[in-house]
Amino acid sequence: MKTIITLTFALFSVFTMSQVSKLKSESFFGFNYKPLIPFGVVGDAPVDLQNGNLRTTVSSAFGYSFGAVVRSRVTDLIALETGLLYTTRNYKADISLSDSNLYVNGDFGIVNFDLPVNALVFIQLGRNLYANAMLGGSLNFNPSDVRDSINVGNTPHQFVFAGSRYTKDQSKNGYLSFAINAAVGFELRTRKEGTFYMGVASKIPVSPTLEVGSAYRQTEQGYVIGNQGILTGATFSLDFKYFFHNVENKGWQYNRGPIEQ
């Protein structure tokens, strides 16, 4: 399945870039910032893990994504975007033993790098104001796992929480994953100040992002109990972009090589 998605993603990228080159589109460079908001709906809703009297609740917290983007405008109403984004997704883990007064909580975050390829369609609302809808996909690189241990004071009670990159095939390492991107928003295009965009966006992984688990350990008695589950890793966010305006060269331009014979 991943092989098919990889080939589709590559073919889509090559096709879209070739179409852009044929149409001699205008390209713009800019920056993208997304505050990730834990709405708690389908995809990023809290996950409860239960095994006996050990209960763990993992819920999404505020995160962020930022990076550089390049937009190739095929026409005034159709464009393609790609870039490189750094994303940090944060979570809270609440762990407790239901038959005791033991309770701990902790925070953890996972980092990944996104290479998106998105198509945009615009509707002109005014002279410089446009609404748009975006749909596409991204190739994600997931560099590391997470692990944390919490001791309850100076007692023999210890809680451990861990998250590892999800992979259905245990022979694979889970470094690469894929996601579907979607967004809607509005933008203001100006001739001198550039383009300002604001919208809402979502990123839905094709496969789960993390396999998480927790454990309680009583070190003196050697007692251990654990549970595990899966996080989809879906994110919802506000979406802010700024694209620089293209400077038009005026007057005579020297087009020959750096050295004349």
Side-chain angles (χ1 to χ4, degrees):
M1 182 63 182
K2 286 189 176 181
T3 303
I4 295 174
I5 296 174
T6 303
L7 292 174
T8 303
F9 186 86
L11 290 173
F12 176 73
S13 302
V14 172
F15 174 77
T16 52
M17 292 301 107
S18 66
Q19 294 303 307
V20 168
S21 62
K22 289 179 182 178
L23 294 170
K24 299 180 179 179
S25 65
E26 187 177 16
S27 296
F28 300 85
F29 175 81
F31 296 100
N32 188 194
Y33 175 73
K34 300 178 183 179
L36 308 181
I37 302 174
F39 287 114
V41 296
V42 177
D44 71 338
V47 175
D48 287 321
L49 314 177
Q50 184 84 38
N51 182 17
N53 60 348
L54 178 64
R55 180 177 182 180
T56 303
T57 300
V58 182
S59 53
S60 298
F62 285 93
Y64 60 88
S65 178
F66 69 91
V69 290
V70 176
R71 173 183 291 181
S72 293
R73 191 186 296 168
V74 180
T75 70
D76 284 342
L77 302 180
I78 300 175
L80 300 170
E81 281 186 7
T82 187
L84 181 62
L85 302 177
Y86 172 93
T87 301
T88 295
R89 282 174 286 190
N90 295 318
Y91 296 90
K92 295 173 58 179
D94 300 313
I95 312 172
S96 63
L97 286 178
S98 58
D99 61 350
S100 69
N101 198 29
L102 296 176
Y103 174 89
V104 297
N105 55 53
D107 302 319
F108 69 96
I110 58 173
V111 172
N112 64 273
F113 298 89
D114 304 341
L115 178 63
V117 177
N118 302 314
L120 297 91
V121 177
F122 297 88
I123 299 175
Q124 188 169 5
L125 303 177
R127 181 177 180 182
N128 298 316
L129 183 63
Y130 295 80
N132 74 55
M134 182 200 79
L135 183 64
S138 61
L139 174 65
N140 312 309
F141 174 69
N142 311 298
S144 63
D145 299 329
V146 294
R147 180 182 173 86
D148 190 20
S149 60
I150 304 173
N151 292 312
V152 183
N154 294 320
T155 69
H157 305 290
Q158 183 186 60
F159 290 91
V160 178
F161 180 85
S164 60
R165 294 178 297 269
Y166 175 84
T167 174
K168 187 175 181 180
D169 185 351
Q170 296 302 318
S171 64
K172 304 295 179 63
N173 51 33
Y175 279 109
L176 296 179
S177 61
F178 301 89
I180 298 171
N181 305 320
V184 293
F186 300 89
E187 69 177 43
L188 178 67
R189 299 177 184 176
T190 64
R191 182 176 295 274
K192 294 183 179 180
E193 288 77 20
T195 298
F196 301 87
Y197 171 88
M198 181 177 67
V200 291
S202 65
K203 177 181 175 183
I204 311 297
V206 174
S207 59
T209 301
L210 277 182
E211 185 172 2
V212 296
S214 64
Y216 163 71
R217 178 182 302 164
Q218 218 283 6
T219 55
E220 290 183 351
Q221 300 178 6
Y223 176 72
V224 177
I225 184 173
N227 55 34
Q228 63 181 13
I230 290 175
L231 293 182
T232 63
T235 60
F236 299 90
S237 65
L238 297 178
D239 195 3
F240 301 100
K241 298 176 188 175
Y242 171 73
F243 292 94
F244 295 95
H245 72 285
N246 288 338
V247 179
E248 297 180 1
N249 293 326
K250 297 182 179 180
W252 177 79
Q253 301 294 320
Y254 182 69
N255 297 321
R256 302 184 66 180
I259 301 177
E260 284 193 29
Q261 298 296 333

